[in-house]
Amino acid sequence: MKVMIDLCVVPMGVGVSVSSYVAACQQEIEAAGLSHLMHAYGTNIEGEWDEVFAVVKRCHEVVHELGAPRVTTSMRIGTRTDRDQTMADKVQSVTEKLTTS
Amino acid sequence: MKVMIDLCVVPMGVGVSVSSYVAACQQEIEAAGLSHLMHAYGTNIEGEWDEVFAVVKRCHEVVHELGAPRVTTSMRIGTRTDRDQTMADKVQSVTEKLTTS
Amino acid sequence: MKVMIDLCVVPMGVGVSVSSYVAACQQEIEAAGLSHLMHAYGTNIEGEWDEVFAVVKRCHEVVHELGAPRVTTSMRIGTRTDRDQTMADKVQSVTEKLTTS
Amino acid sequence: MKVMIDLCVVPMGVGVSVSSYVAACQQEIEAAGLSHLMHAYGTNIEGEWDEVFAVVKRCHEVVHELGAPRVTTSMRIGTRTDRDQTMADKVQSVTEKLTTS
């Protein structure tokens, strides 16, 4: 089962500057070889369900390993059985509607 | 690694009445023997990471099996290494602050 | 327009114990006289759109006033035009499906 | 109070193809003149609290006006009092950590 997620990992108990923790997370995503795109409030990731969720778990583990005693994540998870749709397809589908309207 | 999640599974392409899909999801959670609590906009679940996420995957699978071509879920994920904290502990901790203030 | 939300406010930069901030938020919700229910990973609130969102803003303001330099919230927002549905209705609708299956 | 949000509006009861509803939402965001960036699973928006939340309300209204009887949205909301930080700043902060590590 293919899945597309949007992941926002928030380290708690480490102050307000969390970019080094987010960067460690990004390295896990890249190391997993998954298609992904970071934006200002999370990261889109797509791939096979088990591979994507292995990375989500690694993100929590690595943020704890770096010293954060608590991690709270918010996440969207999308699956569909009617057809394949990549992250690029989703954005293009909306953009087409915008330019032709 | 223990985890507490809040899970809200939304079937798409099946009309506005989705309670039968949500009920199927609840049955998967119960079948897994995980501690859980349903509220009006999701379900709290706690347990070992791999067991909890196996149930999340089963929820997507069962909702597709029941005929929903598309599923979009929103989820919060909490882990902490400083101490054990159950769902009941979290609610009690806030309630105590409210009653003593 | 009636709305039902699920709100999870996370103070950042104040350590791992955040229950006093969450309690301050609960007091704002109660002061607003809105129907609400706290669970282990958020709070359901229902009411008129503008009243509900005034409380969400007050929550961010009060958590900052208490000393949190950064706040990150995750929230679900539900509206429907086909019929009225309370928080209790939603839970009952799923529970009925569970007990009759 | 400045705010940055990540907004994902999901129309229910209108089938699986929702890009025209999402496009209508994008037009509301653009009409409001707010800084924004669409990704594959939502849209980042930043601006003054009241202006940003007026657009969130307009998104629900317009999706209902287009015929969706039910709308469920998931949203992240970030505020900070310690310093100004734009969407571009957040991405750059993580990217710098990645390239120097």
Side-chain angles (χ1 to χ4, degrees):
Chain A
M1 184 164 56
K2 293 268 186 193
V3 66
M4 186 183 303
I5 69 168
D6 187 61
L7 180 71
C8 177
V9 175
V10 178
M12 294 172 71
V14 294
V16 290
S17 295
V18 299
S19 57
S20 60
Y21 300 88
V22 175
C25 224
Q26 291 302 113
Q27 289 177 318
E28 292 297 329
I29 298 165
E30 277 166 33
L34 294 168
S35 182
H36 62 100
L37 178 77
M38 184 174 62
H39 54 80
Y41 218 146
T43 301
N44 301 160
I45 310 173
E46 67 184 352
E48 284 298 320
W49 182 286
D50 291 345
E51 292 176 41
V52 169
F53 281 83
V55 166
V56 174
K57 188 181 183 185
R58 275 301 298 147
C59 282
H60 271 250
E61 288 172 341
V62 79
V63 172
H64 283 307
E65 284 161 18
L66 287 172
R70 193 170 181 179
V71 182
T72 187
T73 286
S74 86
M75 188 168 153
R76 300 180 188 118
I77 307 170
T79 54
R80 56 194 308 174
T81 52
D82 55 337
R83 63 183 180 97
D84 281 340
Q85 188 188 42
T86 63
M87 302 191 304
D89 293 336
K90 283 187 76 176
V91 171
Q92 193 189 345
S93 180
V94 174
T95 308
E96 280 172 7
K97 297 284 191 312
L98 285 171
T99 50
T100 59
S101 65
Chain B
M1 183 164 55
K2 294 266 186 196
V3 66
M4 185 183 305
I5 69 168
D6 186 63
L7 180 71
C8 177
V9 175
V10 178
M12 294 172 72
V14 294
V16 290
S17 295
V18 298
S19 57
S20 59
Y21 300 88
V22 175
C25 225
Q26 291 303 114
Q27 289 176 319
E28 293 297 328
I29 299 165
E30 277 164 35
L34 294 168
S35 180
H36 63 102
L37 177 78
M38 184 174 62
H39 55 79
Y41 219 147
T43 301
N44 300 160
I45 310 172
E46 66 184 354
E48 285 298 322
W49 183 286
D50 292 344
E51 292 176 42
V52 169
F53 281 84
V55 166
V56 174
K57 187 181 182 184
R58 275 303 296 148
C59 283
H60 271 250
E61 288 171 342
V62 80
V63 173
H64 283 307
E65 284 160 19
L66 288 171
R70 194 170 180 180
V71 183
T72 187
T73 286
S74 85
M75 189 169 156
R76 299 179 189 119
I77 307 169
T79 54
R80 56 194 308 175
T81 51
D82 55 338
R83 64 183 180 98
D84 281 339
Q85 188 188 41
T86 64
M87 301 191 305
D89 293 337
K90 283 188 76 176
V91 171
Q92 194 189 343
S93 179
V94 174
T95 308
E96 280 172 7
K97 298 283 190 314
L98 285 171
T99 51
T100 59
S101 64
Chain C
M1 183 165 54
K2 294 265 185 196
V3 67
M4 185 183 305
I5 69 167
D6 187 62
L7 181 71
C8 177
V9 175
V10 178
M12 294 172 72
V14 294
V16 290
S17 295
V18 298
S19 57
S20 59
Y21 301 88
V22 175
C25 224
Q26 291 303 113
Q27 289 176 319
E28 293 296 329
I29 299 165
E30 278 165 34
L34 294 168
S35 181
H36 63 101
L37 178 77
M38 184 174 60
H39 55 82
Y41 219 146
T43 300
N44 301 159
I45 310 172
E46 66 183 355
E48 285 297 322
W49 182 287
D50 291 344
E51 291 176 41
V52 169
F53 281 85
V55 165
V56 174
K57 188 181 182 184
R58 273 303 296 147
C59 283
H60 271 250
E61 288 171 342
V62 79
V63 172
H64 283 307
E65 284 160 18
L66 287 171
R70 194 171 179 178
V71 182
T72 187
T73 287
S74 85
M75 189 169 156
R76 299 179 190 119
I77 307 169
T79 54
R80 56 194 309 175
T81 52
D82 55 337
R83 64 184 180 97
D84 280 340
Q85 188 188 41
T86 64
M87 302 191 304
D89 293 337
K90 283 187 76 175
V91 171
Q92 193 188 344
S93 179
V94 174
T95 309
E96 280 172 5
K97 298 283 190 312
L98 285 171
T99 51
T100 59
S101 65
Chain D
M1 183 165 55
K2 294 267 186 194
V3 65
M4 185 183 304
I5 69 168
D6 187 62
L7 180 71
C8 177
V9 175
V10 178
M12 293 173 72
V14 293
V16 290
S17 294
V18 298
S19 57
S20 59
Y21 301 88
V22 175
C25 226
Q26 290 303 113
Q27 289 176 319
E28 292 297 328
I29 299 164
E30 278 165 34
L34 294 168
S35 182
H36 63 101
L37 178 78
M38 184 175 61
H39 55 79
Y41 218 147
T43 301
N44 301 161
I45 310 172
E46 67 184 354
E48 283 299 321
W49 183 287
D50 291 344
E51 291 176 41
V52 169
F53 281 84
V55 165
V56 174
K57 188 181 183 185
R58 274 302 297 148
C59 282
H60 270 250
E61 288 171 341
V62 79
V63 172
H64 283 307
E65 284 160 17
L66 288 171
R70 193 169 180 180
V71 183
T72 187
T73 287
S74 86
M75 190 168 152
R76 300 181 188 117
I77 306 169
T79 54
R80 55 194 309 174
T81 52
D82 55 339
R83 63 182 179 99
D84 281 339
Q85 187 188 42
T86 64
M87 303 190 305
D89 292 338
K90 283 188 76 176
V91 171
Q92 193 188 344
S93 179
V94 173
T95 308
E96 280 172 7
K97 297 284 190 312
L98 285 170
T99 50
T100 59
S101 67

